Amino acid sequence: MTETDATRRPLQMPETFLPYLEKHRIYKLFKDMVRDLVIHLPKDHLKHMKIFVGRHLHSTTDVDRVIFLVSPELKIDINRLVREMLKDLGIIVISRRCVMDRYEKHDNYVPGCISPELMSEVTKTLTLKDPVPQSGWLMFDHPCTVREAQCLQQDGVLPTVTLLLTPPPPVAPPTVDPWTPARSFFQQDFEGLKFVYKSTLKEVYIEQDDDHEKCAMKCFNAIRACASGAQGPGQGVHASGAPGVYRVLLIGPRGSGRRTQAMAAAKQFDLVYLEFGMLFSEAKMKNDDIGKKLRSIGCSVQMRADIVRRRIAMKDCIDHGWILTGYPASGVDFELLDMMPTPPNRVIFLNVDWNTCKSRATARGVDWCTGQEQPLGTGPRVLPRPADAEQLDAELDTFFTESLAELRAAAGITAVEVDGNEQIDQVQVRIQAAIMASPSFNIEYCSQLRNVCGD
């Protein structure tokens, strides 16, 4: 009998198992459990694993995370209202005063200077301190500015519901004042925060003669309605947690800056950056079935999909997630990608006009020594692309006249549109916000929307 060394066989996850394991976060659970075992080295490993699974089950329960936005027109004692809410919810209150107390004790605190990034870091620390993750939290005077709210979103401090406490709408709307009134440090930017938290916003109408118990009951019912997705048609969306692994599809024409933005997002979220041109070149050089077919009979729609399928099924993409550019190029490509075991859960369109794309693409050349793209004029080795003008025009014409409409139709209403004509940093912030945005539910039909929903 021939003995074999099983440790030398490459271990691969069967594709048919991936959707189920990722849907219930089982793959990540086992990774975390093995790491915990190696760190603690318990004597009774079975008991330790049982405790770990029980703790994981308790910690993954979707607890209430609430942010209160109170209209300046509403005259109400918010502190008393919060105390009434605590009787029913039993969650932890995180106030701005509480955040500031810890902010002023931070090592990087500079007197007289308020850093939204540092405020967000302190707030995140408070939300992760036991027993806050198990019981949930409520913020009623924090954050106060749009920048603070964006920093909280980037750090993963996301509410399950944002309650907008406002009087009933008047019969005739008042005249809009174009000037923003002066605010103190503890006053919230009401309109700006409404826009930032629009994905989890739930309006609660408070009458002037409502007492605090009645206001608390209205807020409590709104939170429970959002948690069950029972808001009703046209009354907002219910957000559940973002997916554990981001699989991002960044679609844009050549010259839109898609590769620059994708690499920056991959670095921010620790994703695997995938560019279809590089994947195609690597596949063509390999001595396997796909490589032999590419060299002998050329490329086909199904073969392009097979190249992507094989790459996103590798361990690094399963563990960390990925961001893909250059594919799909048509509606058929998108449908094949969407039917793979690990399809994208974020679809972002980078909108840049034809002239801007051409000017950006023609401003870049090739370093004849390294083969890398470089801006023209940065050195004597950087030369224009040979015979590239006609090919560029053909690519842009095909994308704007055919591919873009097909891809938008295939992606559906849940794809996110980002204006790519702005500065690189501003575009990157919008892309990061689109990646981190909570998945949306169609409240009218009680079903998850495609592509941007969590698994």
Side-chain angles (χ1 to χ4, degrees):
M1 181 176 178
T2 304
E3 294 184 358
T4 58
D5 186 359
T7 60
R8 296 186 179 182
R9 290 182 297 175
L11 299 178
Q12 293 184 348
M13 186 76 65
E15 288 188 355
T16 54
F17 297 166
L18 291 177
Y20 180 83
L21 294 176
E22 195 168 280
K23 178 179 180 181
H24 299 284
R25 312 286 176 89
I26 298 177
Y27 186 71
K28 185 176 184 301
L29 171 63
F30 276 102
K31 282 183 57 182
D32 295 342
M33 185 162 52
V34 171
R35 184 189 301 115
D36 192 65
L37 284 172
V38 173
I39 292 175
H40 293 92
L41 299 176
K43 295 182 179 180
D44 191 344
H45 61 283
L46 294 178
K47 182 179 179 180
H48 189 84
M49 291 167 64
K50 183 178 179 180
I51 295 174
F52 180 87
V53 172
R55 188 170 64 247
H56 175 83
L57 179 64
H58 184 69
S59 63
T60 54
T61 305
D62 197 12
V63 297
D64 294 320
R65 301 186 298 274
V66 186
I67 288 181
F68 272 3
L69 298 182
V70 183
S71 172
E73 303 173 358
L74 188 63
K75 306 302 179 183
I76 187 174
D77 188 353
I78 186 64
N79 294 289
R80 183 176 174 184
L81 175 60
V82 169
R83 286 195 295 268
E84 293 289 341
M85 292 290 299
L86 294 181
K87 298 177 182 178
D88 298 320
L89 294 176
I91 57 182
I92 307 298
V93 175
I94 300 177
S95 66
R96 193 168 183 83
R97 184 69 268 171
C98 179
V99 175
M100 283 301 300
D101 289 342
R102 285 153 181 80
Y103 174 80
E104 294 171 353
K105 298 176 183 177
H106 198 278
D107 295 338
N108 298 329
Y109 169 67
V110 178
C113 178
I114 300 300
S115 169
E117 292 82 3
L118 189 57
M119 289 276 287
S120 176
E121 180 184 338
V122 173
T123 307
K124 183 178 180 180
T125 303
L126 291 175
T127 60
L128 297 178
K129 187 176 181 181
D130 289 334
V132 179
Q134 292 77 27
S135 59
W137 48 259
L138 185 150
M139 300 182 192
F140 64 90
D141 58 356
H142 179 69
C144 286
T145 65
V146 174
R147 179 58 182 159
E148 290 178 4
Q150 291 174 342
C151 290
L152 287 176
Q153 290 179 335
Q154 292 181 359
D155 283 342
V157 183
L158 304 173
T160 56
V161 58
T162 304
L163 293 186
L164 175 63
L165 306 185
T166 179
V171 177
T175 303
V176 178
D177 185 0
W179 300 101
T180 302
R183 295 179 292 105
S184 70
F185 176 70
F186 284 91
Q187 285 182 314
Q188 291 181 315
D189 182 1
F190 184 66
E191 296 298 329
L193 293 175
K194 277 171 57 179
F195 178 78
V196 173
Y197 290 110
K198 62 181 180 179
S199 62
T200 58
L201 205 64
K202 174 67 176 175
E203 290 187 349
V204 178
Y205 295 132
I206 306 296
E207 301 286 351
Q208 291 295 337
D209 55 350
D210 287 346
D211 57 16
H212 287 84
E213 291 185 1
K214 189 172 183 180
C215 295
M217 183 55 64
K218 287 184 177 181
C219 296
F220 177 77
N221 292 336
I223 294 173
R224 286 292 168 260
C226 291
S228 60
Q231 296 151 288
Q235 296 185 24
V237 296
H238 165 57
S240 64
V245 177
Y246 294 122
R247 299 189 299 271
V248 186
L249 194 60
L250 187 59
I251 300 175
R254 180 178 166 188
S256 62
R258 60 189 181 186
R259 289 193 291 183
T260 302
Q261 298 295 342
M263 287 189 286
K267 183 179 180 180
Q268 173 69 25
F269 296 104
D270 193 24
L271 304 176
V272 179
Y273 169 63
L274 304 177
E275 202 278 319
F276 182 75
M278 298 172 59
L279 298 181
F280 182 82
S281 301
E282 293 174 0
K284 194 173 182 179
M285 295 175 61
K286 290 183 177 180
N287 193 26
D288 54 8
D289 292 340
I290 295 180
K292 293 178 181 178
K293 290 180 181 179
L294 289 174
R295 292 190 293 269
S296 60
I297 62 178
C299 188
S300 64
V301 175
Q302 185 60 48
M303 204 169 298
R304 287 160 56 90
D306 291 340
I307 294 173
V308 176
R309 178 197 296 268
R310 180 176 63 179
R311 182 63 184 91
I312 64 178
M314 292 184 179
K315 188 176 184 300
D316 58 344
C317 290
I318 297 174
D319 289 349
H320 301 280
W322 46 263
I323 182 167
L324 173 65
T325 61
Y327 183 90
S330 64
V332 177
D333 288 342
F334 191 97
E335 292 176 359
L336 291 174
L337 179 62
D338 201 35
M339 291 188 294
M340 293 182 186
T342 53
N345 50 31
R346 293 288 186 272
V347 179
I348 304 173
F349 284 92
L350 200 56
N351 294 329
V352 182
D353 59 85
W354 195 95
N355 293 326
T356 303
C357 289
K358 185 173 181 180
S359 62
R360 289 179 178 178
T362 54
R364 299 188 68 83
V366 179
D367 189 326
W368 60 266
C369 185
T370 63
Q372 300 293 325
E373 280 193 357
Q374 297 290 339
L376 290 174
T378 56
R381 301 188 311 187
V382 181
L383 303 176
R385 289 179 176 271
D388 191 46
E390 295 183 359
Q391 181 182 357
L392 176 61
D393 290 341
E395 288 183 15
L396 293 178
D397 287 338
T398 302
F399 181 84
F400 284 103
T401 58
E402 300 177 9
S403 303
L404 183 57
E406 292 182 7
L407 292 170
R408 280 177 171 162
I413 63 173
T414 59
V416 179
E417 305 274 345
V418 174
D419 185 6
N421 295 300
E422 300 179 355
Q423 296 293 328
I424 295 178
D425 294 342
Q426 296 177 351
V427 176
Q428 182 59 211
V429 168
R430 296 183 183 276
I431 290 176
Q432 291 182 16
I435 294 175
M436 293 183 297
S438 299
S440 300
F441 278 68
N442 187 328
I443 300 304
E444 185 171 1
Y445 300 102
C446 297
S447 61
Q448 277 189 320
L449 299 176
R450 293 178 56 206
N451 299 324
V452 298
C453 62
D455 298 313

